[in-house]
């Protein structure tokens, strides 16, 4: 059983094995002969990596033996046959133990293991190689091969470490998103439920007038509906339901939305102006379309506590219908723009929990549209919505 920290390299086992095979082939292509029976190259490096990290020693040893046979069936061939067969058997048994070592120990062991068999190889070859070529053999076996294995082992371990950190980061971000979502929903639901519970307790008073009783029941109903709306928003974000596809006149729908938002804009001393282009149609769900732009426009209005201007503009081209929502507010930094649509992130001060923006983003994706936000601090923000145009 492989340790979890080393599963990334094993996940790409076939690709890594292919690299080892190709590397061995390249080593043979750029080999050089010391005499009629001795061929020198760097085959030991990819062999050790593949044998220890991939447990493919027998396969790579067979490949080396086959390639060596192309140079002739001589004493050198029989030496390679016995030498690599012996190493492949050893690495086959020790590879599972090797993979359970700590990273630094794997680097040290693979380097030392290569050095050990290089020394054995050198000792055997000294008997058959003329003395004037001993320096070449020493450098190739004792210096180059162990250093090559050490470098590749270090690279593999660094890649594995980076992959592990990346997976941990993703897990942390997912947990943080769940925590933020839970905090947002519990905060939004707790407020109306607390009010509803308070008025429900007041209903227990026997001396309560019927007029006030009806008033309290109306308040409780309103608060429970508010809590229900939060749940609906969350469900819409999780999986927006596009129940019916309709042909929507974008200008008419936006005009209707602006009429609904006019009282809120007036309360914030905000002037909303329109600049609609020629009529264009998209395919979508009317209710979701309204909810999307009501959420966005409400957030824009609430982010302008001191008043200001909002411009709603449409643009029609051959393929798409573009909707712009521009404000004259304080603007946002790049970091703030990147966080738009995250749970519990708001642009309108302490109000809200970010669910509205999340829902809007989710609806646009469900309608196969795109959102692009551009903003400059102190100048304002522009939302750009793009939907496929119906011809």
């Amino acid at each position: 059983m492989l340790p979890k920290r080393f599963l990334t390299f094993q996940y790409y086992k076939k690709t890594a094995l292919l690299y080892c095979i190709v590397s061995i082939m390249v080593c043979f292509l750029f080999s050089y002969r010391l005499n009629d029976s001795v061929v020198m190259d760097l085959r030991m490096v990819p062999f050790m990596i593949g044998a220890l990290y991939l447990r493919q020693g027998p396969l790579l040893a067979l490949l080396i033996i086959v390639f060596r046979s192309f140079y002739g069936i001589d004493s050198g061939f029989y030496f390679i046959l016995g030498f690599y067969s012996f190493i492949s058997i050893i690495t086959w048994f020790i590879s599972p133990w090797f993979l359970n070592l700590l990273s630094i120990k794997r680097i040290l062991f693979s380097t030392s293991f290569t050095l050990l068999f290089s020394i054995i190889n050198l000792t055997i070859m000294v008997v058959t190689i003329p003395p004037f070529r001993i320096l070449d053999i020493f450098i190739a076996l004792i210096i180059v091969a162990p250093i090559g294995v050490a470098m590749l082992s270090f690279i593999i371990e660094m890649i594995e470490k980076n992959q592990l950190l990346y997976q941990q980061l993703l897990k942390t971000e997912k947990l943080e998103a769940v925590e933020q979502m839970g905090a947002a929903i519990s905060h939004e639901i707790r407020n109306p439920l607390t009010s509803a519970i308070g008025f429900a307790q007041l209903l227990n008073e026997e001396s309560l007038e019927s007029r006030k009783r009806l008033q309290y029941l109306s308040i409780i109903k309103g608060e429970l509906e508010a809590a229900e709306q939060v749940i609906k928003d969350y469900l819409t974000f999780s999986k927006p339901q596009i129940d019916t596809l309709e042909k929507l006149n974008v200008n008419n729908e936006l005009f209707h939305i602006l009429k609904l938002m006019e009282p809120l804009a007036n309360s914030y001393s905000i002037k909303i102006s329109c600049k609609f282009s020629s009529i264009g149609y998209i395919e979508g769900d009317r209710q979701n379309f309204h909810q999307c732009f009501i959420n966005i426009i409400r957030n824009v209005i609430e982010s302008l506590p001191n008043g200001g201007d909002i411009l709603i503009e449409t643009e029609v081209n051959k393929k798409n219908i573009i909707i712009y929502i521009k404000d004259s507010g304080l603007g946002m930094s790049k970091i703030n723009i990147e966080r738009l649509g995250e749970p519990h992130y708001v642009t309108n001060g302490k109000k809200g929990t970010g669910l509205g923006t999340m829902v809007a983003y989710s609806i646009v994706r469900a309608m196969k549209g795109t959102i692009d936000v551009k903003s400059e601090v102190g100048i304002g923000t522009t939302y750009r919505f793009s939907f496929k145009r119906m011809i």
Side-chain angles (χ1 to χ4, degrees):
M1 182 67 179
L2 293 177
K4 289 184 178 180
R5 65 175 182 272
F6 206 75
L7 291 179
T8 304
F9 188 76
Q10 292 295 317
Y11 181 77
Y12 299 103
K13 187 174 182 178
K14 292 182 180 179
T15 303
L17 178 60
L18 178 62
Y19 277 118
C20 290
I21 293 174
V22 172
S23 298
I24 290 175
M25 295 173 62
V26 172
C27 288
F28 271 97
L29 290 175
F30 292 94
S31 61
Y32 65 96
R33 282 182 174 272
L34 291 180
N35 58 31
D36 293 337
S37 61
V38 179
V39 178
M40 297 296 298
D41 53 50
L42 297 176
R43 73 190 79 151
M44 176 69 77
V45 177
F47 171 80
M48 279 297 181
I49 295 298
L52 291 175
Y53 282 94
L54 301 174
R55 206 186 183 193
Q56 294 296 321
L59 175 62
L60 297 177
L62 177 62
L63 185 67
I64 290 174
I65 293 169
V66 171
F67 283 147
R68 178 57 182 83
S69 66
F70 296 153
Y71 291 89
I73 308 299
D74 48 26
S75 58
F77 169 79
Y78 290 111
F79 170 73
I80 293 299
L81 175 64
F83 183 75
Y84 278 95
S85 297
F86 176 66
I87 300 178
S88 65
I89 294 173
I90 294 178
T91 54
W92 172 264
F93 287 104
I94 68 173
S95 180
W97 168 82
F98 168 80
L99 294 176
N100 279 283
L101 295 175
L102 296 176
S103 177
I104 185 64
K105 290 185 178 180
R106 282 198 293 264
I107 297 174
L108 293 175
F109 180 85
S110 60
T111 305
S112 303
F113 194 70
T114 304
L115 179 60
L116 172 63
F117 280 95
S118 293
I119 293 174
I120 295 174
N121 194 0
L122 176 64
T123 303
I124 296 174
M125 293 180 66
V126 163
V127 181
T128 58
I129 303 300
F132 64 87
R133 307 305 295 270
I134 293 299
L135 181 60
D136 293 346
I137 300 174
F138 180 85
I139 293 174
L141 295 178
I142 306 302
I143 297 178
V144 176
I147 291 177
V149 171
M151 292 174 62
L152 288 178
S153 295
F154 178 79
I155 293 173
I156 291 172
E157 298 299 338
M158 289 300 101
I159 293 174
E160 188 68 24
K161 182 178 179 180
N162 290 337
Q163 287 293 326
L164 180 61
L165 291 175
Y166 177 70
Q167 294 297 330
Q168 290 176 343
L169 178 61
L170 287 180
K171 184 177 180 180
T172 301
E173 289 180 346
K174 289 179 181 179
L175 290 175
E176 183 180 358
V178 172
E179 291 173 358
Q180 291 178 343
M181 179 69 74
I185 295 173
S186 63
H187 172 76
E188 280 292 287
I189 293 179
R190 185 184 296 114
N191 289 337
L193 288 183
T194 301
S195 299
I197 291 172
F199 283 102
Q201 290 174 343
L202 293 175
L203 290 175
N204 292 326
E205 296 181 4
E206 297 180 358
S207 60
L208 189 65
E209 299 177 2
S210 59
R211 182 178 58 81
K212 287 189 176 182
R213 187 180 299 275
L214 292 175
Q215 182 183 359
Y216 292 168
L217 286 173
S218 177
I219 294 174
I220 291 173
K221 181 176 180 293
E223 295 298 323
L224 292 177
E225 288 176 348
E228 182 186 20
Q229 186 60 45
V230 173
I231 297 174
K232 286 182 179 179
D233 284 347
Y234 171 69
L235 294 176
T236 303
F237 164 73
S238 302
K239 190 177 181 181
Q241 298 292 329
I242 306 299
D243 297 323
T244 57
L245 292 177
E246 307 170 65
K247 186 176 182 180
L248 304 179
N249 183 319
V250 172
N251 291 350
N252 288 345
E253 300 303 329
L254 289 175
F255 184 77
H256 175 73
I257 292 170
L258 294 180
K259 282 293 184 182
L260 296 176
M261 303 304 299
E262 188 174 352
L264 180 63
N266 291 336
S267 66
Y268 279 80
S269 301
I270 291 174
K271 178 184 178 182
I272 300 180
S273 55
C274 305
K275 186 180 179 181
F276 293 162
S277 65
S278 58
I279 297 174
Y281 296 90
I282 64 173
E283 188 177 47
D285 182 274
R286 177 173 282 103
Q287 182 178 354
N288 283 328
F289 184 85
H290 288 184
Q291 184 180 8
C292 170
F293 284 94
I294 286 174
N295 289 350
I296 294 295
I297 295 173
R298 179 188 291 117
N299 284 345
V300 173
I301 291 173
E302 292 178 349
S303 66
L304 302 172
N306 299 320
D309 297 315
I310 297 176
L311 172 64
I312 312 296
E313 185 178 355
T314 61
E315 178 183 306
V316 181
N317 56 39
K318 293 182 179 180
K319 294 184 178 180
N320 300 309
I321 294 180
I322 314 298
I323 302 171
Y324 296 96
I325 300 178
K326 305 176 182 179
D327 68 56
S328 58
L330 300 177
M332 294 181 286
S333 65
K334 290 184 178 180
I335 297 177
N336 292 335
I337 293 175
E338 291 174 357
R339 293 196 60 190
L340 282 175
E342 291 184 7
H344 214 53
Y345 179 76
V346 295
T347 59
N348 51 2
K350 297 182 179 179
K351 298 180 180 180
T353 60
L355 283 176
T357 307
M358 291 168 57
V359 168
Y361 272 62
S362 186
I363 290 173
V364 171
R365 287 193 298 267
M367 293 179 61
K368 299 179 181 179
T370 60
I371 303 178
D372 182 38
V373 181
K374 293 183 179 180
S375 183
E376 293 185 37
V377 177
I379 296 178
T381 303
T382 300
Y383 290 84
R384 181 184 183 274
F385 299 82
S386 177
F387 297 95
K388 187 176 180 181
R389 180 190 177 190
M390 289 187 66
I391 306 299

